[in-house]
Amino acid sequence: MSGRAAHRLPGALLAAFALAALVELVSVAVDARTGQLLAKPLLMPLLAAYVAARGGPRLLVAALLLGWGGDVFLLSSADGAFLAGMGCFAAGHLCYLVLFGRRRTHAGPGPVRRIFAGPGRPARHLAALSDSSKYIQYENDPPPCDAPHQTPRADPRRSAGQGLALGYGLALVVALALLWSGLPAELRVPVAVYSLLLAAMACRASALGPLAGAGGALFLLSDTLIATGVAEAPQPPAAGLWIMLTYIAAQALLTAGILRSRPRTHD
């Protein structure tokens, strides 16, 4: 493949994914079963191929292909297809969780840049990086923020993360409590385990930034709508369309957020 063709390939794959998503959504809206059978199995392979063409992490490709397996199983009404599909998605969420632990929103400046970026003597910054001079204070400098006589400031990002985890945990408990009696007995434990894994993925995704965070939240919303149908609970009008719209957006946003992040370790 020529360099020009390789450069154009990711854009072509992304356009094909967008077209397949449009066909799928229109087919769901008008209840065209043939269109759904043709378009839905193409969605995640096209998105996975786009990631691979971009040189993205292999775990992301694996998560998307596991989502493809879940999509295909959920197209079937055969016995055990729902559990098999849920198992595929659960494995995909595990891939996402491992991947989130290996990546960060952006890379901070390296040590050399930190040393020479700010005003003042380079030795001052070198001293700040040295454990042996942790509490050295230069003339006219404010006291170090971690000096013994000062109370450390709380990390707002950690507080926000704890609040988000609490919110997702509460949403999980409420949803399971409301749907539990309507779920078939053989699905209750698998749905509870899957829901815990899904909520953990959605919560952890927010650490990569707003794109991945929104993707995780939409994935949770999409699967909650599916669960209401399984439990024969009230659903919004055009529930099938909302399920697919939120699912496609979730996978696309998770992909975009992960590709924008930087690896801590090899993916």
Side-chain angles (χ1 to χ4, degrees):
M1 183 183 296
S2 67
R4 180 176 296 181
H7 180 71
R8 292 178 177 176
L9 181 59
L13 290 168
L14 192 59
F17 167 75
L19 179 60
L22 180 61
V23 172
E24 168 66 12
L25 293 174
V26 171
S27 299
V28 172
V30 301
D31 198 22
R33 180 69 176 171
T34 302
Q36 295 176 52
L37 290 173
L38 290 173
K40 190 175 182 181
L42 294 176
L43 291 170
M44 293 306 109
L46 286 170
L47 194 55
Y50 165 74
V51 172
R54 285 277 308 271
R58 287 170 293 182
L59 274 173
L60 177 55
V61 174
L64 293 171
L65 291 179
L66 286 164
W68 166 73
D71 290 342
V72 171
F73 278 119
L74 293 185
L75 282 171
S76 173
S77 57
D79 293 341
F82 182 81
L83 277 175
M86 189 163 57
C88 286
F89 282 118
H93 296 327
L94 284 173
C95 289
Y96 277 131
L97 283 169
V98 174
L99 187 55
F100 295 156
R102 295 181 178 181
R103 300 183 78 83
R104 56 187 174 189
T105 304
H106 57 80
V112 174
R113 184 177 173 186
R114 281 197 300 268
I115 291 169
F116 294 103
R121 297 183 296 273
R124 179 182 305 174
H125 302 288
L126 285 170
L129 297 176
S130 171
D131 289 336
S132 62
S133 57
K134 191 172 183 181
Y135 299 116
I136 289 179
Q137 182 178 355
Y138 289 87
E139 185 179 359
N140 299 324
D141 278 355
C145 62
D146 57 346
H149 63 279
Q150 291 188 343
T151 303
R153 295 180 180 178
D155 186 350
R157 289 176 297 181
R158 184 174 182 179
S159 299
Q162 291 172 342
L164 191 64
L166 182 61
Y168 273 119
L170 181 61
L172 173 66
V173 170
V174 170
L176 285 176
L178 291 175
L179 300 176
W180 191 260
S181 61
L183 291 171
E186 68 274 12
L187 290 181
R188 287 176 179 172
V189 173
V191 166
V193 173
Y194 174 81
S195 299
L196 181 61
L197 191 58
L198 172 61
M201 185 280 292
C203 180
R204 192 71 180 86
S206 64
L208 266 66
L211 288 178
L218 286 174
F219 215 133
L220 182 64
L221 175 59
S222 179
D223 281 4
T224 300
L225 289 173
I226 292 176
T228 58
V230 174
E232 298 183 351
Q235 289 187 303
L241 180 60
W242 285 111
I243 287 170
M244 283 310 303
L245 181 60
T246 51
Y247 169 67
I248 293 171
Q251 294 281 38
L253 288 169
L254 283 167
T255 297
I258 290 169
L259 291 179
R260 284 170 60 92
S261 65
R262 294 177 182 267
R264 287 194 178 96
T265 60
H266 182 62
D267 294 325

